[in-house]
Amino acid sequence: MIRSPKPTKLQAIMTLMLAIGITNHVFIIPALLQIAKRDAWFSVLLAAVPFGLMIGLIGFVSSRIGTQPLPEWIRQRMGRIPAILFQSLITVFFFITAWFSLFDTVMWMKVTFLPYTPVLATSLILTLLCLVGALKGMKTIAITSGILLPFVVLLGFYVAIVNVELKDYSLLFPFWSTGGPPF
């Protein structure tokens, strides 16, 4: 693997914006709409408290470990087995996330603009592109994100503006139209 310099703060922010935006559109929003239906947007307000707590926890842990890798810090504090368990869980989580991202992206491409292209071909090309990016290093991924993010944002605004007449904003209210909270 080639060692590339660390990305700048702007590049890191752009990479996070792209990753979080895609994750929200692929995983979170469809699940929310399927379960909560009309009240899905309200769950975002409810998530603010746990999100704030999680950010505080990450900040606290980051201040404690400094620049040391988290698995190494766990190994020093708790031993080898907890560090291996932590790394294994994180690895499984990221592989599952990558699998679902690849599957959803390939299916979207097939339905949208590549109906006659074999799924295997599209999957292999996307996987190879991701592998090359990973082997080239984080700086390459950050630069690619910086190039892609403006296009993603512009296309997002385009889709939002073009679909304004098709949206029914009356579905936002009243609260809990599909049932109240369970408490």
Side-chain angles (χ1 to χ4, degrees):
M1 181 167 113
I2 299 171
R3 281 281 182 207
S4 59
K6 288 184 179 180
T8 64
K9 287 182 182 180
L10 178 62
Q11 290 170 331
I13 289 170
M14 293 177 96
T15 302
L16 285 173
M17 286 175 64
L18 192 62
I20 291 168
I22 290 172
T23 302
N24 286 343
H25 278 283
V26 172
F27 295 118
I28 298 170
I29 292 174
L32 277 176
L33 289 173
Q34 188 174 16
I35 301 299
K37 297 181 179 37
R38 184 183 216 172
D39 299 325
W41 69 273
F42 188 66
S43 63
V44 175
L45 297 176
L46 296 177
V49 173
F51 179 75
L53 292 172
M54 191 66 179
I55 293 298
L57 180 63
I58 290 171
F60 175 75
V61 170
S62 294
S63 70
R64 294 288 179 149
I65 67 173
T67 59
Q68 186 178 20
L70 185 56
E72 184 61 34
W73 185 81
I74 292 172
R75 183 175 288 115
Q76 288 176 356
R77 299 280 193 278
M78 297 180 210
R80 197 176 128 216
I81 301 297
I84 291 171
L85 181 64
F86 172 78
Q87 285 180 302
S88 299
L89 289 173
I90 293 297
T91 301
V92 168
F93 170 77
F94 282 125
F95 270 108
I96 290 171
T97 302
W99 173 258
F100 281 111
S101 295
L102 178 67
F103 179 80
D104 286 343
T105 303
V106 169
M107 288 301 118
W108 173 79
M109 290 171 71
K110 184 166 188 66
V111 168
T112 307
F113 58 89
L114 295 175
Y116 302 112
T117 305
V119 170
L120 183 63
T122 311
S123 299
L124 285 175
I125 290 169
L126 281 175
T127 303
L128 286 173
L129 284 171
C130 292
L131 180 65
V132 167
L135 290 174
K136 290 289 186 178
M138 193 61 213
K139 184 76 170 179
T140 303
I141 294 171
I143 290 169
T144 305
S145 296
I147 293 169
L148 290 176
L149 182 64
F151 291 108
V152 170
V153 170
L154 287 174
L155 288 172
F157 279 121
Y158 170 74
V159 169
I161 291 168
V162 172
N163 288 323
V164 162
E165 61 194 30
L166 303 174
K167 294 179 181 177
D168 184 4
Y169 292 102
S170 68
L171 294 176
L172 292 175
F173 294 101
F175 289 122
W176 300 307
S177 63
T178 57
F183 46 85

